């Protein structure tokens, strides 16, 4: 059963800037440079037939390339931080594409995503990192500008069932060429 998600690969210049942030925080599990992505829809474990249906549904999506603009750093999990990420601007084209992907996934038979879409790029996963340490780390690096880029493809990724999921593998890509 593959564990799947849909996302954008991250441009090399943005990857390099994020790798440059990856130090100085105890118990952080830094995301590998090849695993950076913007998640558009987490799918989870599905059987091969559902995976094939999802792949076909995604191939039908049409959209223009999308601007990905990091807007700062943040953490998920206030009192018990779980991850550090680069927040991504809610560009209208990004939000429209994400809605199309959500619809395609639901038409493949999966339940709607319960969480509100928050575009981001995970930089680190956290274990027993104190909230105060995360707050200080974010404060020290909060002004670091991360370069934006234009995403020209969406990808269907597979993940390991291990903690953190990486390394990720691109199973299929869909070019964004208009629509």
């Amino acid at each position: 059963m593959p564990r799947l998600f849909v996302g954008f690969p991250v441009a090399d210049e943005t990857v390099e800037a994020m790798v440059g942030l990856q130090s100085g925080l105890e118990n952080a599990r830094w995301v590998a440079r090849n695993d950076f992505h913007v998640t558009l829809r987490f799918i989870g474990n599905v059987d091969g037939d559902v995976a094939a249906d999802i792949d076909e549904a995604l191939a039908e999506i049409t959209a223009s390339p999308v601007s990905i603009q990091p807007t700062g750093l943040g953490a998920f999990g206030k009192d018990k931080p779980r991850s550090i990420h680069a927040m991504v601007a809610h560009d209208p084209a990004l939000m429209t594409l994400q809605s199309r992907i959500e619809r395609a996934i639901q038409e493949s038979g999966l339940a709607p995503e319960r969480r509100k879409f928050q575009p981001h790029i995970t930089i680190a996963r956290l274990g027993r990192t104190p909230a105060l340490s995360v707050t200080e780390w974010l404060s020290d690096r909060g002004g670091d500008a991360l370069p934006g880029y234009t995403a020209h493809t969406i990808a269907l990724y597979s993940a390991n069932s291990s903690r953190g999921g990486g390394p990720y593998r691109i199973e299929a890509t869909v070019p964004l060429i208009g629509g």
Side-chain angles (χ1 to χ4, degrees):
M1 242 191 247
R3 184 175 186 210
L4 302 176
F5 64 92
V6 180
F8 290 123
V10 176
D12 292 341
E13 184 180 2
T14 308
V15 167
E16 292 305 318
M18 289 191 304
V19 167
L21 297 171
Q22 292 182 316
S23 66
L25 187 60
E26 68 178 280
N27 299 321
R29 293 183 318 277
W30 303 108
V31 172
R33 70 175 49 246
N34 293 332
D35 287 343
F36 286 119
H37 63 277
V38 177
T39 301
L40 296 166
R41 175 55 151 87
F42 179 74
I43 298 167
N45 295 325
V46 296
D47 67 34
D49 290 339
V50 173
D53 290 346
I54 291 167
D55 186 23
E56 288 177 25
L58 293 175
E60 298 295 318
I61 292 175
T62 58
S64 296
V66 175
S67 174
I68 303 298
Q69 185 56 58
T71 60
L73 302 175
F76 288 126
K78 290 191 184 253
D79 296 336
K80 293 182 180 180
R82 299 178 317 272
S83 65
I84 294 174
H85 59 272
M87 298 173 281
V88 173
H90 288 228
D91 179 84
L94 169 62
M95 303 310 283
T96 297
L97 176 59
Q98 194 279 331
S99 292
R100 289 178 183 172
I101 291 168
E102 177 62 31
R103 193 170 331 131
I105 299 296
Q106 288 179 33
E107 289 171 0
S108 296
L110 275 70
E113 175 61 66
R114 294 180 308 215
R115 295 172 290 188
K116 181 180 178 193
F117 177 59
Q118 296 182 352
H120 66 280
I121 305 166
T122 302
I123 297 172
R125 289 178 181 76
L126 306 174
R128 295 187 172 116
T129 308
L132 182 58
S133 296
V134 172
T135 300
E136 290 171 353
W137 188 92
L138 290 170
S139 177
D140 289 347
R141 288 159 182 81
D144 292 354
L146 294 171
Y149 64 98
T150 301
H152 294 277
T153 61
I154 58 174
L156 179 62
Y157 290 87
S158 63
N160 292 323
S161 58
S162 65
R163 189 171 168 191
Y168 302 124
R169 192 169 95 194
I170 294 177
E171 300 294 338
T173 59
V174 176
L176 301 175
I177 53 176

